[in-house]
Amino acid sequence: KQEVTQIPAALSVPEGENLVLNCSFTDSAIYNLQWFRQDPGKGLTSLLLIQSSQREQTSGRLNASLDKSSGRSTLYIAASQPGDSATYLCAVPILYNTDKLIFGTGTRLQVFP
Amino acid sequence: DTAVSQTPKYLVTQMGNDKSIKCEQNLGHDTMYWYKQDSKKFLKIMFSYNNKELIINETVPNRFSPKSPDKAHLNLHINSLELGDSAVYFCASSQAGTDYGYTFGSGTRLTVV
């Protein structure tokens, strides 16, 4: 059974710091991995999608890496800003059944000025 | 705007009532989902539909009945609402067989009093 966990559960940092958020999954046979952002009271915004054949994806100040063999993904946020404050979620679909996403427990990030 | 839109955004109702949440996507996706986010912010799939056909039903009480009149719409009807149904319900869509991941709606916060 696939289980996805995220560390840390919460993070509070001053503006400008580079951050690493961690995502671990128990079954390394994944199809892809997706990182989302959720703002308070809002929906989920897709940030990055990494296919199982890829090792990393980049979008602006965000870089996500994937190490399937060790069951880990990291989301790197460069030069953090107060606007980055949100909850970050990683999710993987069940292998051979991409209709079902298993979500991680989330990392709540606060970046203060 | 291309998006997944769901209504209403907020819903407050009394125990025992019946309510519906509507979802529409204009992305041309063939698969739609309902996810539930509980008070601990954990997201879990409830249903998925592919081209109007039910694909996943994740041990959800039969008081919850999804309806898909066409592949662009997936509505969620809930009978005899209970206090424990209070949560945020998210609609999402994806295109099977592609690498584009999921797109989520902004959520419906249901409060049962």
Side-chain angles (χ1 to χ4, degrees):
Chain A
K1 179 185 173 185
Q2 179 73 275
E3 292 182 2
V4 183
T5 55
Q6 292 183 244
I7 296 172
L11 189 59
S12 183
V13 299
E15 183 176 9
E17 280 204 5
N18 299 325
L19 308 171
V20 175
L21 307 182
N22 297 292
C23 172
S24 299
F25 42 94
T26 54
D27 186 345
S28 62
I30 62 169
Y31 185 70
N32 57 45
L33 184 145
Q34 196 164 0
W35 281 94
F36 294 89
R37 167 186 172 142
Q38 184 175 22
D39 292 279
K42 302 259 178 91
L44 279 73
T45 302
S46 179
L47 297 174
L48 290 163
L49 173 69
I50 312 178
Q51 300 303 325
S52 61
S53 59
Q54 298 175 319
R55 294 194 66 84
E56 65 178 74
Q57 280 283 353
T58 298
S59 176
R61 294 182 294 106
L62 304 180
N63 175 279
S65 67
L66 176 63
D67 184 345
K68 269 183 54 178
S69 59
S70 65
R72 288 191 294 188
S73 176
T74 59
L75 179 67
Y76 177 82
I77 304 175
S80 59
Q81 302 171 358
D84 295 330
S85 299
T87 296
Y88 291 81
L89 296 157
C90 65
V92 295
I94 297 292
L95 192 65
Y96 305 125
N97 182 1
T98 56
D99 290 334
K100 183 176 176 179
L101 274 183
I102 304 298
F103 277 87
T105 45
T107 293
R108 191 170 66 254
L109 172 65
Q110 183 178 10
V111 181
F112 52 90
Chain B
D1 287 343
T2 54
V4 177
S5 57
Q6 51 183 112
T7 56
K9 189 172 175 64
Y10 300 97
L11 187 53
V12 181
T13 188
Q14 291 186 327
M15 282 176 54
N17 284 350
D18 303 338
K19 290 293 178 185
S20 292
I21 307 172
K22 295 185 177 181
C23 179
E24 175 181 5
Q25 56 95 4
N26 61 5
L27 299 163
H29 291 167
D30 60 5
T31 306
M32 295 185 72
Y33 314 81
W34 279 108
Y35 278 79
K36 178 180 179 180
Q37 188 172 43
D38 60 24
S39 57
K40 296 183 179 178
K41 307 297 184 187
F42 189 65
L43 268 159
K44 190 173 180 183
I45 191 168
M46 299 172 68
F47 302 101
S48 81
Y49 268 72
N50 180 275
N51 279 320
K52 302 193 297 176
E53 287 192 28
L54 180 66
I55 303 299
I56 292 176
N57 181 342
E58 281 288 303
T59 59
V60 176
N62 57 16
R63 297 182 295 104
F64 290 78
S65 53
K67 286 187 171 52
S68 182
D70 55 61
K71 74 173 191 177
H73 295 83
L74 180 62
N75 303 322
L76 183 65
H77 188 74
I78 315 170
N79 289 328
S80 303
L81 278 155
E82 301 177 357
L83 293 176
D85 297 332
S86 297
V88 182
Y89 293 84
F90 286 98
C91 179
S93 70
S94 70
Q95 180 63 33
T98 70
D99 299 334
Y100 301 127
Y102 282 54
T103 302
F104 277 79
S106 56
T108 295
R109 182 175 294 277
L110 171 65
T111 304
V112 183
V113 297

